[in-house]
Amino acid sequence: MAGVNRVKPNAPGLRRTMNKLFRFLLALGAVALLWVGFIQWRIATLPDEKLPPHDVGIVLGAALWQTTPSPALRERLDRAVELYQAGVIPRIIVSGGYDRADSLLTEAEGMRNYLVEKGVPGEAIYLENEARSTLQNMMFSQTIMREHGWSSAVIITHRYHAVRALDMARFLGYDSPSVSPMESNVLMMAWHKSRETLALTKWQWDKMRSVFGYRPVT
């Protein structure tokens, strides 16, 4: 059409831009894969070693089925019973608030009932009834420890969850915390490990931001 100037696209410039974008996305994907691999390596290599006596064990909560611990939560509680019977821990903090708005018991109450059924004396069990997250598990359990003058703790949870819980304990100033991680025979681990990768990534980001005054969301 006469009088209209058609501007030809700068094909070489567009190709260079697309190549740069492709290389950037490729590098970003490689970094993400390395990070995921690093997290999974940390989970897989977390040692489950023989523990010396500690002041207390802390069982991190998971879902209740009505008033009964879910199969996954029973795995954590059974480990706590083993440590109690072996003399590694003379007392146990069970940590977890209401799982849902319509829950009849807190996670801690359901865990306490299960432990008593397994032969742990009620006076050896301390309830932390408020926590709704792993960070709150560790914060509120630390408060109970300070109130009773206890210094050494064993964190009791599944292996996929233990790396983040242990790192949070160290961040909060626990005195050389230990962990007793376990595998699960009932959980779909591909899902939980994927979810934990995201959770641990967010936690590391929150920790970095805390240097500049950010307070991790509890």
Side-chain angles (χ1 to χ4, degrees), residues 12 19 68 70 73 122 132 168 178 184 200 210 217:
N19 286 338
T68 304
S70 62
L73 184 51
R132 299 292 298 275
M168 286 177 170
S178 298
S184 177
L200 187 52
S210 72
V217 177

Side-chain angles (χ1 to χ4, degrees), residues 64-82:
L64 292 180
W65 288 1
Q66 298 298 325
T67 59
T68 304
S70 62
L73 184 51
R74 290 201 298 269
E75 290 179 324
R76 299 181 185 183
L77 292 167
D78 288 341
R79 174 60 65 88
V81 172
E82 291 175 13

Side-chain angles (χ1 to χ4, degrees), residues 27-218:
L28 188 64
V31 170
L33 285 175
L34 287 171
W35 174 247
V36 170
F38 173 69
I39 289 176
Q40 296 306 316
W41 172 79
R42 286 187 65 189
I43 291 172
T45 58
L46 189 67
D48 184 8
E49 55 193 0
K50 185 175 176 61
L51 295 168
H54 285 65
D55 290 335
V56 67
I58 302 172
V59 184
L60 304 189
L64 292 180
W65 288 1
Q66 298 298 325
T67 59
T68 304
S70 62
L73 184 51
R74 290 201 298 269
E75 290 179 324
R76 299 181 185 183
L77 292 167
D78 288 341
R79 174 60 65 88
V81 172
E82 291 175 13
L83 295 176
Y84 177 82
Q85 292 176 342
V88 175
I89 51 174
R91 56 188 71 87
I92 301 168
I93 296 173
V94 285
S95 176
Y98 287 105
D99 190 33
R100 301 183 310 274
D102 61 346
S103 296
L104 300 176
L105 300 175
T106 65
E107 292 175 357
E109 289 169 334
M111 289 191 281
R112 185 267 316 278
N113 295 345
Y114 181 87
L115 290 174
V116 170
E117 290 175 1
K118 290 292 183 176
V120 179
E123 58 270 22
I125 305 169
Y126 295 77
L127 276 66
E128 187 289 292
N129 283 308
E130 302 298 328
R132 299 292 298 275
S133 69
T134 303
L135 185 57
Q136 287 185 350
N137 287 143
M138 303 316 305
M139 289 174 62
F140 300 162
S141 296
Q142 186 181 40
T143 298
I144 294 174
M145 289 180 61
R146 286 172 174 166
E147 288 173 350
H148 291 85
W150 305 328
S151 59
S152 58
V154 179
I155 303 164
I156 303 166
T157 189
H158 287 95
R159 177 175 298 278
Y160 77 88
H161 184 220
V163 171
R164 180 161 55 102
L166 183 59
D167 196 55
M168 286 177 170
R170 289 168 175 159
F171 176 82
L172 292 169
Y174 276 67
D175 184 12
S176 301
S178 298
V179 67
S180 184
M182 75 218 65
E183 307 294 345
S184 177
N185 295 316
V186 298
L187 292 172
M188 185 169 25
M189 292 313 303
W191 158 253
H192 284 281
K193 285 183 178 180
S194 298
R195 184 171 177 269
E196 186 60 24
T197 297
L198 296 176
L200 187 52
T201 300
K202 181 183 182 302
W203 167 242
Q204 295 302 322
W205 174 242
D206 285 347
K207 275 203 312 181
M208 285 195 305
R209 289 195 292 167
S210 72
V211 174
F212 303 99
Y214 170 76
R215 183 176 179 179
V217 177
T218 59

